[in-house]
Amino acid sequence: MLLAQMVRKSGLNTAISVALTPWRKPRVVHHPGKILLDVALAVALGGGCLADIGMLLAEPDVRPGGFRSHSLPCHRQTRRVRPESPRGDPGRTFPSTGRVWELAGANSPATDGQVIVDFGGVLTLAHSEKQDATATRKKTFGHCPLVAFVDHGQAGSGELVAALLRPGNAGSNTAADHIEIARLALAQLPQTLRLEWQTLIRTDSGGSVHA
């Protein structure tokens, strides 16, 4: 219920609908933005596959804009909306990010005029032949995504702002990947306030390369 209220209060439902309008076909019933928000709520409730979106049917109060999605349109939409699509924009940011930080007040990560962004690679195991899953440097099998989090300080946690979904054999200190994740992360900071802050980017030894 809190997540559904946050979606409405922050304006994320409107922002994501506008951003995904290029993927909406004429006379379509299920809007792409509404479908992806329903998927996000299902994941937050513990869903592990698109069919688990049916959990929302059992929760009548958790319906931002009314729950109408089911697994078939979700499957079609997630295959259609991709950054590499001619209509895609992997660096797109939503105005709701700045809105949420405004509402957070003293709990905003930019309260002291500085925003801290942390980079790190995380080995993610795959228990079957998933797309791009390979052997990792630690003799496991899976992926090695590179992620960027905005630090919320001791009283909070990290806010995910960007991720590169890499195969498991991706290098831990690949300069090109660190530069790309930095570009994507900075693009996600609210545009209206970006120039007013000092942004500190931190990384572990994987980012300690000359490039």
Side-chain angles (χ1 to χ4, degrees), residues 6 14 41 55 97 103 113-114 132 146 165 174 176-177 187:
M6 188 200 72
T14 302
L41 288 174
M55 291 187 296
T97 304
L103 294 174
Q114 183 184 69
D132 291 336
L146 188 63
L165 305 179
T174 304
D177 289 346

Side-chain angles (χ1 to χ4, degrees), residues 19-196:
L20 297 182
T21 295
W23 282 275
R24 185 178 187 181
K25 293 185 176 182
R27 299 190 300 275
V28 71
V29 176
H30 305 277
H31 193 287
K34 178 66 174 61
I35 290 174
L36 294 185
L37 282 175
D38 286 341
V39 171
L41 288 174
V43 171
L45 289 172
C49 63
L50 290 178
D52 290 336
I53 199 170
M55 291 187 296
L56 296 181
L57 292 173
E59 299 292 342
D61 293 328
V62 187
R63 297 181 183 181
F67 175 77
R68 293 184 297 273
S69 302
H70 52 86
S71 59
L72 182 58
C74 290
H75 177 72
R76 290 172 177 169
Q77 196 61 57
T78 52
R79 290 177 62 87
R80 190 178 301 126
V81 180
R82 297 177 181 273
E84 61 269 21
S85 167
R87 290 169 287 187
D89 182 6
R92 181 68 177 266
T93 184
F94 297 114
S96 55
T97 304
R99 174 63 178 158
V100 170
W101 288 11
E102 280 181 27
L103 294 174
N107 295 319
S108 168
T111 304
D112 58 357
Q114 183 184 69
V115 179
I116 300 176
V117 183
D118 292 317
F119 296 166
V122 182
L123 290 179
T124 305
L125 301 183
H127 299 286
S128 61
E129 294 286 344
K130 301 296 184 182
Q131 182 179 354
D132 291 336
T134 61
T136 72
R137 62 183 181 277
K138 293 190 176 181
K139 299 182 179 180
T140 55
F141 184 81
H143 304 86
C144 183
L146 188 63
V147 294
F149 290 90
V150 171
D151 186 12
H152 280 241
Q154 296 295 328
S157 58
E159 177 182 340
L160 179 65
V161 289
L164 289 180
L165 305 179
R166 309 186 303 167
N169 59 0
S172 60
N173 56 354
T174 304
D177 289 346
H178 281 81
I179 293 172
E180 177 65 9
I181 196 70
R183 185 186 69 81
L184 294 174
L186 292 174
Q188 292 304 310
L189 299 182
Q191 295 181 358
T192 56
L193 301 175
R194 194 180 303 167
L195 297 179
E196 302 174 10

